[in-house]
Amino acid sequence: MTIRTRFAPSPTGMLHIGGVRTALFSWLVARRAGGVFILRIEDTDRERSTPEAVHAIIEGMQWLGLTADEGPFYQTDRYPRYHEVINQFLQSGHAYRCYCSKEELDEMRAAQSARKEKPRYDGRCRHGAIVREGVTPVVRFANPQEGQVVVRDLVHGPIVFQNSELDDLIILRSDGNPTYNFCVAVDDWDMRITHVVRGDDHINNTPRQINLLMAMGAEPPIYAHLPMILGPDGTKLSKRHGAVSVLEYREAGFLPEALLNYLGRLGWSHGDQEIFSIEEMIALFDLADVNKSASALNPEKMAWTNQQHMMRSPSAHLTAPLALHLQALGVIDPSARSLEAIVASQRERAKTLREMAEASLFFYRAPTAYESKAAGKHLNATALPWLQVAEEALGELLTWGAVDIHRSLETLAASHGVSLGKIAQPLRVAVAGGGVSPPIDQTLAILGRTEVLARLAAAVAYIAGQPAV
């Protein structure tokens, strides 16, 4: 049997963290088994579904690398198929037309509540509805009235529902639109889905969908309902906790593989291992290891995971996304400096690519002002001689590289009987505008001889222009 899984988001909002984890787990199940992963857009809610949300879902999946083997399929393209099955149900007795008005249904539920019964449709049209002229009926599924539904859940174990607790749900509205549970069941049958991985907020939908599948003569898939992701404060994840769309994490400077690693560990584990490559997750992931309880989002842990991936990735892997972040910050030509060298110098100093880009702006923009505290301490009359001798020594270098620069500055410091920091820190403020940068030899090597000498000359002029103390 070929394992076939699906991710079936509704485009009524952006693709969020919870949806991404569901997509990831579903994708991993298929990839580990050499199976098929399907993307299905469940857009039957026409009032709330938007093209922008559809685009964001597809773009987000592409950025994450969660490629689909089939799809995207759209439920709104499959209406003829849904109507075909509904007609079959009507002919076989698995469905019936219901002419009850909204007022009648409200009255029925109010009476049930007064009797302290669970409000539900009482099946009054099930055995022969009275046709009402001018009223377009809905179509209801004739749910089995006896027995039970056993959900084979790979996370929670067997879950039992009594059919007597399930009412005859509407499968076709009076406006001709099929309903969610019905469409999902038909799609899962037609697309030969073997494993349904989704959030545990769908558990109550599952027995209804199983009964629909049984009425079609289909074998229900195996289910795995994932516990929800909570906010850092332990409440339901919402807008107030941060990013709404997964693409906001891209804008914040996260690597897709790092985000997937973090979400993969959110409710799943393999021993004490924290950092996983995509290949490792595919090889090791098992739904049996998914926790039953909810997990809380930890932004600090997420950022740490991203930093670990940045430190372990080849420099060349980070240059393209770093360039995009530099451009977003106004750098016209990021390739004017060696991006690989910038990555190598900054990778352990930043948690996100956005942070790396912000900390690297000085490579492209000479200081127009100096940090006051750093300048007061390192760009003064005491530092002036050190800048001048450093400017002279660096200008005489035959070759320009980090090793050459380091050797020159060490020799210069030794010849004057001072520590390297005595010269390096004024240099750093002069070229970076503040007291923080990568190691000074790497910083100067990346900037290039011409730019370094120009910035040193500007710093010397700045000091000369300061009033005597």
Side-chain angles (χ1 to χ4, degrees):
M1 178 183 67
T2 299
I3 299 297
R4 295 175 63 88
T5 67
R6 46 75 160 181
F7 176 52
S10 175
T12 55
M14 299 295 102
L15 178 60
H16 54 79
I17 284 295
V20 171
R21 188 186 64 167
T22 298
L24 170 64
F25 284 12
S26 184
W27 184 83
L28 289 172
V29 169
R31 288 291 172 266
R32 184 180 183 189
V36 176
F37 175 67
I38 295 168
L39 176 60
R40 186 171 79 216
I41 307 297
E42 297 189 337
D43 56 347
T44 53
D45 188 343
R46 294 190 168 189
E47 290 185 2
R48 297 173 59 220
S49 296
T50 66
E52 293 77 16
V54 172
H55 177 76
I57 289 169
I58 294 173
E59 186 179 359
M61 295 288 283
Q62 289 174 341
W63 174 64
L64 292 165
L66 299 178
T67 53
D69 302 298
E70 296 179 11
F73 299 106
Y74 296 86
Q75 287 187 328
T76 49
D77 292 338
R78 290 175 45 76
Y79 273 33
R81 171 60 176 155
Y82 302 143
H83 285 279
E84 177 186 7
V85 177
I86 286 169
N87 288 332
Q88 292 172 355
F89 273 17
L90 287 169
Q91 292 171 11
S92 65
H94 286 109
Y96 60 92
R97 293 182 174 87
C98 171
Y99 290 84
C100 293
S101 66
K102 181 180 182 302
E103 291 72 23
E104 287 177 292
L105 296 175
D106 290 342
E107 182 181 331
M108 173 184 30
R109 294 189 183 101
Q112 290 169 333
S113 296
R115 296 192 299 269
K116 299 190 177 185
E117 298 175 358
K118 179 181 177 181
R120 55 198 293 263
Y121 183 67
D122 62 8
R124 62 183 61 180
C125 290
R126 182 171 180 139
H127 302 293
I130 299 174
V131 177
R132 300 180 182 180
E133 293 296 329
V135 175
T136 303
V138 300
V139 176
R140 291 184 180 272
F141 174 61
N143 192 80
Q145 296 178 305
E146 298 179 349
Q148 60 187 21
V149 182
V150 180
V151 180
R152 294 182 294 161
D153 194 291
L154 296 179
V155 175
H156 297 275
I159 307 173
V160 179
F161 295 86
Q162 301 301 321
N163 277 320
S164 58
E165 293 295 313
L166 306 174
D167 60 0
D168 293 353
L169 77 159
I170 295 172
I171 59 176
L172 186 70
R173 299 185 183 93
S174 59
D175 61 6
N177 283 310
T179 58
Y180 169 78
N181 280 301
F182 176 74
C183 295
V184 168
V186 175
D187 290 344
D188 286 345
W189 179 26
D190 287 354
M191 296 175 188
R192 307 188 308 285
I193 301 302
T194 62
H195 292 70
V196 171
V197 181
R198 59 189 180 189
D200 59 9
D201 53 328
H202 285 282
I203 285 180
N204 288 333
N205 290 326
T206 303
R208 295 173 169 83
Q209 293 172 13
I210 288 177
N211 279 340
L212 286 163
L213 286 161
M214 298 292 285
M216 297 176 205
E219 177 70 22
I222 297 170
Y223 294 87
H225 290 96
L226 309 177
M228 69 191 307
I229 298 176
L230 303 176
D233 57 0
T235 62
K236 184 178 179 181
L237 198 61
S238 66
K239 293 179 181 179
R240 72 177 185 278
H241 293 117
V244 175
S245 167
V246 68
L247 294 175
E248 292 181 45
Y249 287 95
R250 181 180 66 181
E251 305 311 312
F254 282 83
L255 292 170
E257 60 268 28
L259 187 59
L260 292 178
N261 181 167
Y262 176 75
L263 292 176
R265 282 287 289 111
L266 205 59
W268 169 78
S269 62
H270 178 75
D272 296 327
Q273 185 172 344
E274 292 285 352
I275 303 302
F276 294 83
S277 67
I278 298 298
E279 292 73 23
E280 286 176 315
M281 283 199 287
I282 290 173
L284 299 172
F285 182 78
D286 192 329
L287 285 168
D289 298 325
V290 174
N291 297 334
K292 296 180 182 180
S293 56
S295 301
L297 200 68
N298 184 329
E300 291 77 20
K301 184 68 173 289
M302 184 187 292
W304 175 84
T305 302
N306 193 67
Q307 185 178 40
Q308 294 300 308
H309 276 269
M310 291 204 307
M311 290 193 297
R312 300 175 189 210
S313 296
S315 296
H317 178 64
L318 304 182
T319 56
L322 175 61
L324 291 175
H325 283 282
L326 286 166
Q327 288 174 330
L329 293 171
V331 176
I332 296 174
D333 182 16
S335 64
R337 300 280 183 261
S338 170
L339 286 167
E340 284 199 40
I342 292 176
V343 167
S345 69
Q346 297 277 39
R347 68 193 322 153
E348 296 186 10
R349 310 169 67 87
K351 292 182 179 179
T352 67
L353 288 163
R354 176 81 180 188
E355 283 185 12
M356 184 183 289
E358 291 171 344
S360 301
L361 285 176
F362 78 90
F363 285 121
Y364 299 90
R365 300 169 183 168
T368 55
Y370 302 102
E371 291 179 7
S372 58
K373 185 176 180 180
K377 186 175 182 180
H378 298 293
L379 295 186
N380 51 36
T382 303
L384 182 60
W386 302 122
L387 286 177
Q388 290 172 325
V389 295
E391 184 180 5
E392 182 180 355
L394 293 169
E396 293 175 351
L397 281 177
L398 298 177
T399 56
W400 190 268
V403 173
D404 308 300
I405 293 168
H406 187 80
R407 187 183 299 119
S408 175
L409 294 178
E410 271 196 333
T411 301
L412 183 63
S415 68
H416 287 83
V418 297
S419 67
L420 180 58
K422 190 78 172 178
I423 298 174
Q425 200 58 17
L427 275 174
R428 176 172 286 110
V429 179
V431 300
V436 178
S437 82
I440 193 63
D441 50 1
Q442 296 177 29
T443 297
L444 300 184
I446 292 169
L447 282 168
R449 184 198 306 267
T450 302
E451 185 66 19
V452 166
L453 295 179
R455 294 189 186 189
L456 289 181
V460 168
Y462 167 82
I463 296 172
Q466 297 302 300
V469 178

